[in-house]
Amino acid sequence: MTPAQVKLVQDSFKMVEPIAPQAADLFYGRLFEIAPHVRPLFPDDISKQKEKLKSILSTAVGNLHQVEKILPAAQDLGRRHVGYGVTADQYKPVGEALIWTLEKGLGAAFTADVKEAWITVYGTLESVMTAAAAEVAPVKAAPAKKGILARMFG
């Protein structure tokens, strides 16, 4: 992330904050539309989840200029998501829903540069979270070997 990208993300987020409840509705609506398989990972009433989303985004965006301070929190979040049943491939639709929501919420202010900055930020956080999740994700057992010779000498 360049300093210019950090500024673009922070400035554009300030424009989204006044419409945060509507943005959260858009985000989750879009997420569940493009990735219905993630809906069971959330409670029926996602009002608290919407507040958490705003809080996490506010903290992350507000500290992008000192990204080293938010990386441990992103790693912890990635590790916790493993316990919720989140898999690495489920981060992609989240990013898509985020970018779509920002495009809808910001309208003409969502320029190509702003979009690229947000993609970079989300990509950075996603990679940190998935790397941390991979550290704690259950390791898949090797397939059982068949036959007595394979079991004895495999």
Side-chain angles (χ1 to χ4, degrees), residues 27-110:
F27 171 79
Y28 284 106
R30 182 66 176 167
L31 177 61
F32 300 151
E33 178 184 325
I34 63 174
H37 61 281
V38 304
R39 182 61 181 101
L41 298 173
F42 295 88
D44 290 337
D45 178 5
I46 61 169
S47 55
K48 288 183 182 176
Q49 188 64 37
K50 291 176 183 179
E51 292 173 22
K52 286 180 186 179
L53 174 67
K54 182 189 179 296
S55 176
I56 289 168
L57 282 174
S58 293
T59 300
V61 169
N63 289 290
L64 286 176
H65 63 287
Q66 50 189 4
V67 73
E68 68 281 354
K69 290 191 177 185
I70 61 172
L71 292 182
Q75 290 168 327
D76 184 52
L77 190 59
R79 289 183 197 106
R80 283 197 323 259
H81 275 81
V82 171
Y84 306 142
V86 175
T87 59
D89 62 315
Q90 292 169 332
Y91 284 87
K92 185 176 189 260
V94 170
E96 290 172 10
L98 175 64
I99 298 303
W100 181 88
T101 301
L102 291 165
E103 183 177 14
K104 297 297 179 202
L106 294 171
F110 194 66

Side-chain angles (χ1 to χ4, degrees), residues 1-10 64-67 113 116-118 120-121 124:
M1 277 176 294
T2 67
Q5 288 176 315
V6 168
K7 182 166 176 24
L8 285 171
V9 168
Q10 289 176 333
L64 286 176
H65 63 287
Q66 50 189 4
V67 73
D113 288 342
E116 186 59 36
W118 274 99
T120 299
V121 165
T124 299

